[in-house]
Coordinates of all heavy atoms in Angstrom, one line a residue:
Chain A
S8 N -20.0 -31.1 -26.6 CA -19.5 -32.0 -25.5 C -18.0 -31.9 -25.4 O -17.5 -32.6 -24.4 CB -19.9 -33.4 -25.9 OG -19.4 -33.8 -27.1
A32 N -10.4 -10.7 -40.2 CA -9.6 -10.9 -39.0 C -8.8 -12.1 -39.1 O -8.9 -13.0 -40.0 CB -10.5 -11.1 -37.8
D46 N -14.3 -3.0 -32.0 CA -15.2 -2.2 -31.1 C -14.6 -2.0 -29.8 O -14.6 -2.8 -28.9 CB -16.6 -3.0 -30.9 CG -17.5 -2.1 -30.1 OD1 -17.1 -1.1 -29.6 OD2 -18.7 -2.6 -30.0
E98 N -20.6 12.0 6.5 CA -21.0 10.7 7.1 C -21.0 9.7 6.0 O -21.1 10.0 4.8 CB -22.3 10.8 7.8 CG -23.5 11.0 7.0 CD -24.7 11.3 7.7 OE1 -25.4 10.3 8.1 OE2 -25.1 12.5 8.0
A108 N -29.3 1.2 -12.5 CA -28.8 2.5 -13.1 C -27.3 2.4 -13.3 O -26.9 2.9 -14.4 CB -29.1 3.6 -12.1
L117 N -20.6 8.7 0.2 CA -20.1 9.9 1.1 C -21.3 10.9 1.0 O -21.7 11.3 0.0 CB -18.9 10.4 0.6 CG -18.4 11.8 1.2 CD1 -18.0 11.5 2.7 CD2 -17.2 12.3 0.5
L119 N -22.5 14.7 2.5 CA -22.3 16.0 3.2 C -23.7 16.6 3.4 O -24.5 16.7 2.5 CB -21.4 16.9 2.4 CG -19.9 16.9 2.7 CD1 -19.3 15.6 2.1 CD2 -19.2 18.0 2.3
F145 N 0.1 9.1 -10.6 CA -0.2 10.0 -11.6 C 0.7 9.9 -12.8 O 0.3 10.3 -13.9 CB -0.1 11.4 -11.0 CG -0.3 12.6 -12.0 CD1 -1.5 12.9 -12.5 CD2 0.8 13.3 -12.4 CE1 -1.7 13.8 -13.5 CE2 0.7 14.3 -13.4 CZ -0.6 14.5 -13.9
A163 N -33.7 17.4 -2.3 CA -34.7 18.2 -3.1 C -34.3 19.7 -3.0 O -34.6 20.4 -4.0 CB -36.1 17.9 -2.7
W175 N -6.2 20.1 -9.9 CA -5.0 21.0 -9.6 C -3.8 20.2 -9.7 O -3.7 18.9 -9.4 CB -5.1 21.5 -8.1 CG -5.9 22.7 -8.0 CD1 -6.5 23.5 -8.9 CD2 -6.3 23.3 -6.7 NE1 -7.2 24.6 -8.4 CE2 -7.1 24.5 -7.0 CE3 -6.0 23.0 -5.4 CZ2 -7.6 25.3 -6.0 CZ3 -6.5 23.8 -4.4 CH2 -7.3 24.9 -4.7
A178 N 1.4 22.2 -6.9 CA 1.7 23.6 -6.6 C 0.5 24.5 -6.6 O 0.6 25.7 -6.3 CB 2.8 24.1 -7.4
Q195 N -25.1 9.8 -13.1 CA -23.6 9.7 -13.4 C -23.1 10.9 -14.2 O -23.8 11.3 -15.2 CB -23.4 8.4 -14.2 CG -21.9 8.2 -14.5 CD -21.7 7.0 -15.4 OE1 -22.5 6.5 -16.1 NE2 -20.4 6.4 -15.3
T199 N -14.3 13.7 -20.1 CA -13.1 13.2 -20.7 C -12.2 14.5 -21.1 O -12.7 15.5 -21.6 CB -13.3 12.4 -22.0 OG1 -14.1 11.3 -21.6 CG2 -12.1 12.0 -22.7
W208 N 4.5 19.1 -12.8 CA 3.8 18.0 -12.3 C 4.7 17.0 -11.7 O 5.8 16.8 -12.2 CB 2.9 17.3 -13.4 CG 1.9 18.2 -13.9 CD1 2.1 19.2 -14.9 CD2 0.5 18.4 -13.5 NE1 0.9 19.9 -15.1 CE2 0.0 19.4 -14.3 CE3 -0.2 17.7 -12.6 CZ2 -1.4 19.8 -14.1 CZ3 -1.6 18.1 -12.4 CH2 -2.1 19.1 -13.2
Y298 N -6.1 0.4 13.9 CA -6.1 -0.9 14.7 C -7.0 -0.7 15.8 O -6.8 0.1 16.8 CB -4.7 -1.2 15.3 CG -3.6 -1.4 14.2 CD1 -3.1 -0.3 13.6 CD2 -3.2 -2.7 13.8 CE1 -2.1 -0.5 12.6 CE2 -2.3 -2.9 12.8 CZ -1.7 -1.8 12.2 OH -0.8 -2.0 11.2
C308 N -1.6 -6.2 22.0 CA -1.1 -5.3 20.9 C 0.3 -5.6 20.6 O 0.6 -5.6 19.4 CB -1.4 -3.8 21.3 SG -0.4 -2.7 20.4
A338 N -6.9 7.0 24.7 CA -6.5 7.5 26.0 C -5.8 6.5 26.8 O -6.0 5.3 26.7 CB -7.8 7.9 26.7
T350 N -2.0 -12.0 33.6 CA -2.6 -11.2 34.5 C -2.3 -9.7 34.3 O -1.2 -9.4 33.8 CB -2.3 -11.5 36.0 OG1 -0.9 -11.3 36.2 CG2 -2.7 -12.9 36.3
K365 N 8.1 3.5 8.8 CA 7.2 3.1 7.9 C 6.7 1.6 8.2 O 5.7 1.2 7.6 CB 7.8 3.1 6.5 CG 8.1 4.5 6.0 CD 8.7 4.4 4.7 CE 9.1 5.8 4.2 NZ 9.8 5.8 2.8
S391 N -12.5 -4.3 28.3 CA -13.2 -4.1 27.1 C -13.3 -2.6 26.7 O -14.3 -2.2 26.1 CB -14.6 -4.7 27.2 OG -14.6 -6.1 27.4
D399 N -1.2 7.4 10.2 CA -1.7 8.2 9.0 C -0.5 8.8 8.2 O 0.3 9.7 8.7 CB -2.5 9.4 9.6 CG -3.1 10.3 8.6 OD1 -2.8 10.1 7.4 OD2 -3.8 11.2 8.9

Side-chain angles (χ1 to χ4, degrees):
Chain A
S8 59
D46 183 350
E98 64 189 277
L117 169 66
L119 266 78
F145 174 72
W175 275 353
Q195 181 184 23
T199 299
W208 296 84
Y298 298 79
C308 161
T350 60
K365 295 179 183 177
S391 295
D399 182 356

